Amino acid sequence: MADFVETSNTRTAVRQIPAPIADIATFEAIVAGVIADNPFGCVEYVQSGSTHPGVERNRESHTLRVNYEDLEGNVVGTVTVKAPDMAAFNAAATAVLGDAALETALGGDAVRNPDADAFSCQLKCHDASGETYYVTFGRESVRITSYEDEAVLATIEAWADEVAALN
């Protein structure tokens, strides 16, 4: 019987953020900044005949919560919308908050519940050493996965130390 042989030693590290990232605009600014500024020193690479940037969005999800409150301020209903990106999140918020028929159906006024909003974006990063790893931003944490080199963690940690919303 053949045995499995370890071929790599990948790691995961998580930084819990003391206070949730305030809103989707702040969240998106952090993610867009990493993509635009490339603070991790990632390099473009070719995979399956396609050239990829050193840092790119791999997947993301944004969830919005709207409560429906009666005249006494009691929550009588909720609507949760999962959107693929920030633009869709903002458009969905506008649509749901402006939907009078939904307010009538649920028997209350639509009120945003931004504390219940959730954001997640995973970036695929290609290190100059050839290593590919992932950095996933959430509202309450930053997770680095599939990295091998301790220098990757050190680089991202030094960058995160300089980002106020992550400390």
Side-chain angles (χ1 to χ4, degrees):
M1 193 176 298
D3 292 330
F4 283 90
V5 177
E6 185 175 327
T7 59
S8 65
N9 184 14
T10 60
R11 302 176 179 162
T12 297
V14 178
R15 174 182 280 211
Q16 294 299 324
I17 302 170
I21 294 175
D23 53 44
I24 194 166
T26 303
F27 179 85
E28 181 60 24
I30 293 168
V31 171
V34 171
I35 294 169
D37 301 338
N38 190 9
F40 312 148
C42 296
V43 297
E44 79 176 18
Y45 62 103
V46 177
Q47 183 178 25
S48 301
S50 297
T51 301
H52 296 268
V55 179
E56 63 185 332
R57 291 176 196 260
N58 192 48
R59 66 176 176 240
E60 61 187 302
S61 175
H62 308 286
T63 304
L64 134 85
R65 170 72 67 85
V66 175
N67 291 336
Y68 290 82
E69 298 179 357
D70 64 16
L71 295 176
E72 288 81 39
N74 298 316
V75 175
V76 295
T78 61
V79 169
T80 302
V81 178
K82 184 175 177 183
D85 56 36
M86 187 176 93
F89 176 94
N90 289 330
T94 300
V96 171
L97 290 170
D99 191 334
L102 192 52
E103 284 183 328
T104 300
L106 292 174
D109 294 327
V111 178
R112 280 294 311 275
N113 184 358
D115 292 339
D117 291 346
F119 323 124
S120 176
C121 183
Q122 183 182 73
L123 300 179
K124 184 176 183 180
C125 305
H126 188 78
D127 192 66
S129 69
E131 182 177 346
T132 298
Y133 61 92
Y134 301 88
V135 179
T136 305
F137 293 91
R139 193 164 186 192
E140 298 178 353
S141 67
V142 178
R143 179 179 302 272
I144 310 160
T145 54
S146 300
Y147 72 96
E148 294 180 35
D149 188 351
E150 196 67 31
V152 167
L153 175 60
T155 298
I156 296 170
E157 192 163 37
W159 167 82
D161 287 345
E162 301 299 318
V163 179
L166 304 180
N167 292 291

